[in-house]
Amino acid sequence: MWLNVSSEELPAQERFPFWADLLCRELAPLTLSSAKADSDFPASVGLLDLGTVRLAAFDSPPARLKRTGADIRRADPATYQLTFVSGAPLWISQRRQDSGLVCGDMVLWDSSHPFEGAVPDQGRHTQAHILQLPRERLPLPPHKVDRLLARPLSARSGLGAILARFVTTLDTYGPDCEPGALGRLGATALDLAGACLAEHIGADGELPAETRRQALLARVNTFIDHNLGDPDLSPAAIAAHHHISVRSLHALFRDEGETVAASIRRRRLERCHADLTDPRLRRRSISAIAARWGYLRPPDFSRAFRARYGVPPRELRQTALRGAPDTRRAALNDK
């Protein structure tokens, strides 16, 4: 279920108290303070229930947060809060560890321990995607996970980047999913988060086999997406890059509903379809678009495209762009 809440629907003087109460209900009991508390506090949150886990996507002005032992005794959801930060930076301090300012990366905190955090006033809001992970469902020893509390965790490469991309698109595409699909997304989020944290503490071997499988599948899918334009992309090349056998790669895709080769072909054709129907690319030739996504032989591309979409590439393009403005001509007319 998707729920979107904004303080901007309230009178200005009621916004901050409303927001402070909302954070206590949706995260955990805590104290919120802000220099803007007595003026205006426009903030919003999107909440997405994913079964085993929950996503909270916040957009808010600068503020300071504090959770004390008394707050924990009032209520404790017993969750790890894995937070991807964009916009203005924030910092978290917990268990004698301090993250420093974090932006463009992730930071982890535990609802069962006191903490402090703040978004310094830099004239802009912060956006925080918080993945709420039940501690008992994360397949890692708590005493090892505690080493990562209030430490910046990279979201710029490897599993961290894959996890951050996954989390930050959930609030965009998740609300359109059926309940069953949301549950599967939640299981995937838990597996990716577990694998990412295990990588940081050197505990990969302690993860369940299914968690390791999902993490490897996410790596493989990301590699495929980033290399669709390479005409030599093949199951053998993918397997070699990930240091597994081709047989193991095919086994990895056994439950995905399509083979590795079929997955590559589908994604390439989807990218070609998107480019062919994009008015901004109307002056780019069909063969150039096909080559951009790994099809070097136009006849091969035309046959594959027609087999999937039922029409030749040129016909689909003409139909899609009929009546669409010529963006280049429009730009010249504006000068």
Side-chain angles (χ1 to χ4, degrees):
M1 178 180 176
W2 169 254
L3 178 64
N4 195 22
V5 182
S6 173
S7 68
E8 295 187 64
E9 301 170 0
L10 301 172
Q13 67 274 16
E14 297 179 18
R15 291 178 180 178
F16 182 80
F18 168 82
W19 189 251
D21 180 66
L22 184 143
L23 289 187
C24 289
R25 286 186 285 109
E26 302 302 338
L27 290 181
L30 49 78
T31 299
L32 182 71
S33 58
S34 173
K36 300 180 181 294
D38 296 328
S39 54
D40 190 10
F41 202 86
S44 63
V45 62
L47 302 166
L48 186 62
D49 189 348
L50 298 167
T52 53
V53 303
R54 194 161 175 261
L55 175 73
F58 290 94
D59 182 303
S60 65
R64 188 179 185 95
L65 304 90
K66 185 174 183 179
R67 180 163 163 81
T68 65
D71 292 324
I72 294 169
R73 288 190 291 274
R74 282 174 55 199
D76 181 18
T79 54
Y80 290 116
Q81 309 272 347
L82 185 59
T83 306
F84 175 79
V85 187
S86 57
L90 65 74
W91 62 263
I92 291 287
S93 178
Q94 188 171 55
R95 306 209 76 182
R96 299 182 181 179
Q97 298 180 138
D98 193 304
S99 68
L101 291 178
V102 176
C103 188
D105 288 314
M106 298 178 290
V107 64
L108 182 73
W109 56 278
D110 186 342
S111 69
S112 299
H113 299 290
F115 84 94
E116 290 187 63
V119 178
D121 191 349
Q122 297 185 353
R124 63 186 191 276
H125 286 204
T126 193
Q127 286 82 46
H129 286 75
I130 303 179
L131 197 60
Q132 300 173 316
L133 308 164
R135 195 162 53 247
E136 74 277 4
R137 297 298 300 270
L138 196 68
L140 291 169
H143 71 279
K144 291 187 177 181
V145 178
D146 284 354
R147 301 175 198 164
L148 302 178
L149 298 177
R151 280 181 47 192
L153 305 173
S154 175
R156 301 170 196 269
S157 62
L159 265 178
I162 294 171
L163 176 60
R165 183 179 179 187
F166 180 81
V167 168
T168 55
T169 56
L170 280 174
D171 59 329
T172 302
Y173 302 108
D176 297 328
C177 295
E178 297 296 327
L182 288 175
R184 291 190 292 274
L185 287 173
T188 299
L190 187 63
D191 285 336
L192 287 176
C196 181
L197 296 177
E199 192 174 69
H200 281 281
I201 58 178
D204 301 69
E206 300 184 37
L207 294 172
E210 179 57 21
T211 297
R212 294 197 299 271
R213 190 190 82 83
Q214 288 293 338
L216 177 57
L217 181 62
R219 286 194 185 101
V220 168
N221 278 322
T222 299
F223 179 80
I224 291 173
D225 284 337
H226 287 174
N227 291 276
L228 286 172
D230 182 356
D232 294 325
L233 183 67
S234 66
I238 296 167
H241 180 84
H242 291 88
H243 308 291
I244 59 175
S245 68
V246 174
R247 182 177 180 180
S248 296
L249 178 65
H250 286 308
L252 190 64
F253 273 72
R254 191 170 294 145
D255 297 329
E256 298 306 302
E258 60 184 359
T259 64
V260 183
S263 180
I264 294 171
R265 183 167 56 251
R266 172 183 57 78
R267 296 184 215 194
R268 281 175 168 165
L269 291 172
E270 287 174 350
R271 302 302 196 282
C272 290
H273 186 286
D275 284 0
L276 288 169
T277 56
D278 188 342
R280 295 169 298 179
L281 302 178
R282 68 189 311 153
R283 294 181 181 274
R284 184 172 297 177
S285 71
I286 292 176
S287 60
I289 287 174
R292 178 188 183 192
W293 298 112
Y295 284 100
L296 300 185
R297 289 172 48 84
D300 293 344
F301 168 65
S302 186
R303 280 194 298 271
F305 192 92
R306 185 165 190 164
R308 179 167 182 83
Y309 295 107
V311 294
R314 188 174 304 279
E315 182 179 331
L316 178 131
R317 184 180 223 186
Q318 289 172 345
T319 302
L321 298 184
R322 189 175 295 127
D326 187 329
T327 53
R328 181 181 295 185
R329 186 177 301 159
L332 289 173
N333 289 339
D334 288 341
K335 291 183 178 180

